[in-house]
Amino acid sequence: DKTGICLEDMETGGFMPTPQYYAEKKGSLTGGILAITSIGQGMVLATPLQVAQMMAGVARGDAVPRPRLVK
């Protein structure tokens, strides 16, 4: 998803392939594809800010924080 920062016109959402995506578009989700997807390679699309936001949510354990730009 988009992070919600004030650069809304410039930001796009990321992409994380699901088993349903592979079933419809690429065939089956094999162990090799799952391995490379788990480390952020292959069809995974995310900005560094989106990854940082996701990891902050994992660290907090209860909510994904909204990032802020500070001058």
Side-chain angles (χ1 to χ4, degrees), residues 4 18 34 53:
T18 63
L34 186 59
Q53 182 182 23

Side-chain angles (χ1 to χ4, degrees), residues 15-50:
F15 176 73
M16 177 64 75
T18 63
Q20 294 80 16
Y21 170 81
Y22 276 102
E24 294 172 5
K25 305 285 185 188
K26 304 278 188 181
S28 63
L29 182 63
T30 64
I33 293 172
L34 186 59
I36 64 170
T37 300
S38 70
I39 60 171
Q41 296 182 351
M43 298 291 297
V44 177
L45 300 174
T47 66
L49 183 59
Q50 289 168 337

Side-chain angles (χ1 to χ4, degrees), residues 9 26 48 62 69:
D9 297 338
K26 304 278 188 181
D62 62 345
L69 296 179

